[in-house]
Amino acid sequence: MEVLALVVSLALLAFTFALITYKRSGRGSQLPPGSFGWPILGETIEFLFGKPEKFVADRMNKYSPDIFKTKILGENTAVICGANGHKFIFTNEQRYFTVFRPHSTQRLFRSNENKAPDAPPPPPTKNSEEIKSVKQQGFLKPEALKRYLPKMDSITHQLLQTNWAGKSVVLVHPTAKLATLTLASQFFLGINNPDRISRLVDLFDKVTLGLHCTVLNFPGTTYRRGQTAAAAIRKELQIVIQEKKQAMASGAPMQDILSHLIVATDPSGKTVPEAEIADKIMGLLTAGYSTVATTITFFMKYVGLNPKIYKKIRAEQMEIAASKKPGELLEWEDLDKMKYTWNVVCETMRIVPPLQGTFREVLTEFTYAGYTVPKGWKVYWTVSSTNMNPKYFRDPETFDPSRYDEGEAPLPYSYAPFGGGPRMCPGKEYARLAILAFVHNAAKNYKWEVVDPYEKVEGDMMPEPQNGLPIRLHQQQ
C-alpha cells in the first residue's frame, strides 16, 4: 500500500507540475500554429543557418500567412508577418511590447568588470535611457547631421583616393567596412586614426557575427570569438576615453557623442562610469557599421551589373558636382537632388536587407489574427514577410528602382528597412548620409563592373559576398 500511495503521490505531483507549465506557456489558449522544434534547440539551427527569408516563407506557407510560433535562441517566439503584422507591431509598441535583445547580444554589450562570467546582464537604468534620448538621438537628428555632411564627403573622398586610385581591380566590401567604421569613429568618437580603425575592423566583424548566435562559451565558437573581440574593443575604447578626457581638459571642443557622454550626469550629479560609456559607444559603432557597409556593398554590386542604372546615377551625381565650386563639399540641399540614387539604395535594401529583423518581448497577453500570444513570449519582426512577396512588390526578384517613383510608392507598412513606429531606427538619417556620400564619390570618379556576377553570398543574418565583391574600375574624368 505504501508503494501504491507513493506512486499515486508522484503521479499527482507530475500532473500538477504539467498543468502549471501548460498554463504558464499559454497552451490553455489558442496559440499560433507552428512548431517549437527540437527540445532545447527549438528551430534555432534552421533560423540561423538557413536563409531567414526561406525560414519565414516556408512557415507562412505551411501554417499561416499572418502569424506562426517557433522557438529560436531559447525563446518561445511568435513571428508576425505581412504589412498588417508590421502595422500591428509598430502601432502597439509599449502597449504590448518592450525591447528584447538575444542573450548573446546582451552579454556582448555589457562590461565584464567585476561580474561573474555567466552573470545576467543588468537592466537598463533610467540614466541610460536619458542619455540615449537626450544625447544620442539629438546627435542623430537632421539639424545635427547637417553640419557633419561636408566632413563625411571629405573623409569618403580621401579614403577612396587612398584605396582605389590607380587600381584596376578592388574589393568593395573591405573598402565599405573601412569607410563606414571611419565615418562612425569620426562622428561618435571624434577620431580619424586610419591605423587604429583598420585594427578595429576585424574585431567589429567578429562582434557582428556574435550578435545572433547560441551562447556556447568555449574556444572556436562564434559567441566566444565575439566575446573576445568585444573585450578587445572595450579596452581600446577605454584608451580613447582617456585621450578624450585629456583633450577636453586642454580645452578641446565637444563636437562628438563621446564628449557628451563623458560629461553627462544622472540626477544625483554622478557621471557615467567609463566601462558603461565604452559599452554604449561600442553599441553605437556596431549599429552604424555592418548595416551601412552591407548596403554600400550590394548597391555597388547591382549598379555594376546594370549599366543603364549606373548611367542615371552618374548623371545625377555629376549634375551636383557641376554646381560646386572647386573644393566645395556636399551640403544638405544636395541630398534632395539624389532622388534616383536613393531609389536605387532603397531597392538594394529590399533585395538584400542589411538587417533581417528585431525581437520584442510581450508585456501583456494579446490576440492577433485569432491567436493568443502569451506574456513573456518574444515576437520577431522581420522584413522577409513582405520584401520578396509578390502581394506587395511586382516581380519581386527583379531589381527595379522605378518601383519607388512618385505615385508608385510601396503600400503602407510593406516596406520598412528601418523598422517603424516609436522604435524606428534612430540612425536612419545618419545611414542615408553615409551611403550617399560614398556613392557620390564613387560614381563621380569611377565606372565599375562586377568581376564575378555569381559570387556566393555568405551569412544569413548579415549577408556578405564570399570574396569581398571584386570590381573592375575605370577612372572617370
Side-chain angles (χ1 to χ4, degrees), residues 21-50:
T21 304
Y22 181 77
K23 288 183 177 180
R24 285 182 176 175
S25 66
R27 289 191 174 94
S29 306
Q30 189 175 5
L31 295 179
S35 170
F36 288 132
W38 297 93
I40 302 176
L41 284 177
E43 296 189 305
T44 300
I45 302 301
E46 297 95 321
F47 176 73
L48 291 179
F49 300 104

Side-chain angles (χ1 to χ4, degrees), residues 315-326 328 440 444:
E316 191 171 74
Q317 299 303 326
M318 291 308 295
E319 183 177 347
I320 294 170
S323 69
K324 301 288 184 183
K325 297 176 182 178
E328 192 176 0
H440 175 71
K444 187 173 67 172

Side-chain angles (χ1 to χ4, degrees), residues 231-288:
I233 293 171
R234 191 176 288 110
K235 183 177 180 180
E236 185 72 24
L237 288 175
Q238 288 180 325
I239 295 173
V240 173
I241 291 168
Q242 288 297 319
E243 294 172 354
K244 180 66 66 174
K245 284 184 173 181
Q246 293 172 9
M248 291 166 63
S250 301
M254 297 194 307
Q255 297 179 332
D256 50 75
I257 291 179
L258 177 58
S259 299
H260 285 265
L261 286 176
I262 288 173
V263 300
T265 59
D266 62 19
S268 67
K270 293 182 179 179
T271 57
V272 184
E274 288 186 7
E276 186 176 342
I277 294 174
D279 279 353
K280 293 180 184 303
I281 289 293
M282 183 168 66
L284 284 169
L285 289 171
T286 302

